[in-house]
Amino acid sequence: MAGIDRARAFLDAARGALADDPRAHAELDLCEHRMYQPVRVALAGSLKAGKSTLLNALVGQDIAPTDATECTRVVTWYRSGRSPSVTAHIDDGRTVGIPVTRIDGRLGFDFGRLTADRVDHLDVEWPARALQSTTIVDTPGTASLSTELSDSTIRLLAPRGESGSDEARGRSGVDAVVYLLRSLTATDTAMLRRIGTAIGGSSGPLGVVGVVSRADELGAGRMDAMISAQQIAGRFAGELERTGLCQAVVPVAGLLALAARTLREVEFRALAQLASTPGAELEAALLTMDRFARPDILPDIPADLRRSLAERFGVFGIRLAVTLIRFGATSSTELAAELVERSGLSELSAIIDTQFAQRADELKSHSALVTLDHLLAASASPRAAQLRASVRRELADVHGFRELRLLSTIRVGGLDLPPEQIADLTRLIGGSGIDPATRLGQPTGTDVPDLRASAIQAARTWRSLAGHPLIAPDVASACQVAVRSAEGIVARLDEQRSPFGTGDFSVGTHSPLG
């Protein structure tokens, strides 16, 4: 796919081809407006999958209500703002300010007399660093594991065709989706297929990542819960890889991640006290969370504090924190970092950064071209048909998608190469960042001739490996992806040196995600 500048050129050409269609012009204006905004990432999945908790963990602040209230039944946009504010967009076109409340420490939005069915969506502005480069959209879940997502979520992620058919029409309101799974049902796979078509068009799920959510609960709070979750995520990833519905699947314990990112000093001291408690006594107290919070259990730690620990960390989180303290975590900062890493949030954040945030321009451009493809298809103008052919050629080049698929394969250990070659391959295809220097393992500020020489050498190295007569077919295919990535760097560096170059360093001449 083209970069931002090329996508804008297509939009300008479409304005001429669709000059007699005011509705199409309004859509084109929206497309261009979106390209100036942060990349839009939606959290979707089944009811009670933990979307709001995961959002809070990603942001590092308690900004999304997690109770089953009216506000969790509404599509909610979280954007960067100078001060916290919540605005409800009503079905009659009005906007109403919504007060932010905290009851017993829990954040909520006070709808007053409004009900969820009257609210089209909420806009939340919040001063959070994570929202400066990414707008996160929290969506309502399914009514049950066997029902379809709510209509408001469908309209946002994968709107139906003009005739009302179930076929997605491809004008998704977001650029990428993190889809939370408790299990892998037919409803989930059908929705993932629909989302992938809406966001990626014919290129596939360019911006879809799966999360095995509430992963700590899969092992009933045992210390090996995350190992079980990783095995399940691997199985899900294999099934979704075969069907092409996801780029990656990772396990995340959202509750633990949020507690770790908001860990208070008083909680660390209480956990340190628990770590000094004899093992048998502690395990007896952790038989149930109600028992753990009883006044006559562990009297040296106030019952209210133990109840708060149970609500914020869960059994798995408490056991893990205690174990880490016993093995040497001596401060709240050190413990928090270990817990975040073991919760799976670090891996998910890295995926969101490398596959969404760093490729934001490419994702937004791709979203614009998918919408443009549908607008031009609805026109009978010969000029529109000609332009659509060019747009579809841009969309047909899916090298960026191949990079992301290969990153997913590497992540689950599905490529038989030595560790040093895996590291080089991961870096070259954008696993650590998409700028040329990072891809080539060169220091920031390396001059263009040196980068170009390094890229040419990388292309030769991986082409030679791909042609080895004893190499496995899947490894040969991965090597060809690396060759294409290296050649794309050379092409972009040459454009940069040209007086007519765009300065766009995305990899691949017409790569979907660079």
Side-chain angles (χ1 to χ4, degrees):
M1 187 200 70
I4 286 284
D5 291 340
R6 193 167 174 83
R8 287 176 184 148
F10 273 110
L11 290 175
D12 290 341
R15 288 190 174 91
L18 303 172
D20 298 329
D21 189 343
R23 182 177 175 184
H25 271 245
E27 292 251 18
L28 292 172
D29 289 341
L30 288 175
C31 280
E32 184 164 14
H33 178 64
R34 277 179 61 173
M35 287 194 289
Y36 289 97
Q37 296 180 327
V39 65
R40 301 174 173 188
V41 178
L43 302 183
S46 61
L47 184 70
K48 303 299 290 182
K51 295 183 292 295
S52 299
T53 300
L54 180 59
L55 189 154
N56 288 333
L58 287 168
V59 174
Q61 298 181 41
D62 189 11
I63 69 171
T66 55
D67 287 345
T69 56
E70 289 288 295
C71 51
T72 60
R73 297 171 52 201
V74 177
V75 171
T76 306
W77 295 71
Y78 291 86
R79 315 174 194 268
S80 177
R82 292 185 177 180
S83 60
S85 69
V86 183
T87 304
H89 294 255
I90 314 301
D91 54 9
D92 61 6
R94 292 182 297 124
T95 58
V96 177
I98 300 293
V100 178
T101 63
R102 286 195 183 272
I103 301 175
D104 296 329
R106 293 183 178 273
L107 180 138
F109 301 154
D110 184 4
F111 274 36
R113 296 183 179 181
L114 282 175
T115 56
D117 58 340
R118 291 288 317 280
V119 180
D120 180 74
H121 67 278
L122 294 177
D123 253 320
V124 178
E125 292 191 359
W126 209 277
R129 180 178 299 177
L131 297 176
Q132 291 176 358
S133 60
T134 306
T135 293
I136 304 179
V137 189
D138 194 7
T139 65
T142 54
S144 73
L145 290 178
S146 61
T147 59
E148 193 179 25
L149 288 176
S150 68
D151 286 343
S152 59
T153 303
I154 290 285
R155 288 196 301 272
L156 173 71
L157 301 182
R160 293 182 174 91
E162 300 296 338
S163 63
S165 67
D166 284 339
E167 183 71 21
R169 70 179 184 182
R171 303 178 196 174
S172 179
V174 299
D175 304 304
V177 173
V178 174
Y179 194 91
L180 280 67
L181 301 154
R182 300 295 306 281
S183 60
L184 189 56
T185 67
T187 300
D188 290 321
T189 54
M191 195 61 209
L192 281 167
R193 184 173 290 107
R194 184 169 182 165
I195 290 171
T197 300
I199 292 177
S202 59
S203 302
L206 288 169
V208 184
V209 168
V211 168
V212 178
S213 64
R214 301 174 68 165
D216 51 313
E217 297 177 11
L218 295 174
R222 300 191 311 268
M223 281 297 295
D224 63 351
M226 291 304 291
I227 296 176
S228 300
Q230 287 168 350
Q231 293 171 343
I232 292 172
R235 188 166 68 249
F236 286 0
E239 295 175 6
L240 294 170
E241 172 76 15
R242 284 191 294 273
T243 53
L245 297 179
C246 254
Q247 295 170 10
V249 181
V250 295
V252 178
L255 186 68
L256 174 61
L258 175 59
R261 294 207 66 189
T262 57
L263 178 65
R264 300 186 288 267
E265 191 64 33
V266 66
E267 292 174 329
F268 173 75
R269 291 196 296 270
L271 290 167
Q273 282 185 270
L274 292 175
S276 64
T277 303
E281 183 181 346
L282 179 59
E283 282 304 311
L286 287 170
L287 286 174
T288 68
M289 287 293 90
D290 287 340
R291 177 181 174 84
F292 181 71
R294 276 170 39 182
D296 58 324
I297 298 292
L298 305 172
D300 292 339
I301 304 174
D304 288 346
L305 180 54
R306 281 183 277 118
R307 186 176 298 108
S308 175
L309 288 176
E311 291 175 352
R312 280 176 40 78
F313 287 81
V315 174
F316 172 74
I318 292 173
R319 283 179 173 148
L320 179 58
V322 165
T323 300
L324 291 172
I325 291 172
R326 287 172 175 169
F327 276 86
T330 58
S331 68
S332 58
T333 302
E334 187 177 349
L335 178 62
E338 287 279 358
L339 291 175
V340 167
E341 184 67 29
R342 293 167 187 264
S343 72
L345 185 69
S346 294
E347 183 179 6
L348 177 61
S349 297
I351 291 173
I352 290 175
D353 179 49
T354 57
Q355 298 191 10
F356 296 165
Q358 292 191 37
R359 301 174 187 251
D361 284 354
E362 290 78 12
L363 281 170
K364 290 185 289 185
S365 299
H366 187 82
S367 296
L369 292 183
V370 169
T371 299
L372 187 54
D373 179 39
H374 285 264
L375 290 174
L376 294 169
S379 173
S381 163
R383 186 176 174 187
Q386 183 179 11
L387 180 59
R388 187 187 181 216
S390 298
V391 169
R392 292 186 70 82
R393 281 195 295 272
E394 296 286 342
L395 292 171
D397 190 325
V398 293
H399 175 66
F401 180 39
R402 294 190 185 101
E403 284 187 333
L404 295 176
R405 289 283 295 273
L406 181 53
L407 285 172
S408 177
T409 300
I410 292 172
R411 191 173 292 109
V412 298
L415 203 62
D416 186 16
L417 278 173
E420 61 274 11
Q421 287 184 328
I422 287 289
D424 289 345
L425 176 61
T426 300
R427 186 179 61 245
L428 181 59
I429 63 176
S432 303
I434 64 169
D435 63 283
T438 300
R439 286 181 181 260
L440 296 168
Q442 299 295 322
T444 301
T446 301
D447 60 25
V448 170
D450 287 344
L451 288 176
R452 189 177 187 278
S454 179
I456 290 172
Q457 182 57 47
R460 288 171 177 165
T461 299
W462 289 104
R463 185 180 293 110
S464 175
L465 184 58
H468 194 286
L470 299 181
I471 199 168
D474 61 330
V475 177
S477 177
C479 293
Q480 292 292 353
V481 173
V483 171
R484 172 69 187 278
S485 294
E487 290 175 342
I489 295 173
V490 174
R492 290 306 183 188
L493 290 174
D494 287 347
E495 286 185 7
Q496 177 69 4
R497 295 170 68 184
S498 165
F500 303 105
T502 64
D504 180 2
F505 276 103
S506 301
V507 172
T509 305
H510 300 298
S511 168
L513 289 181

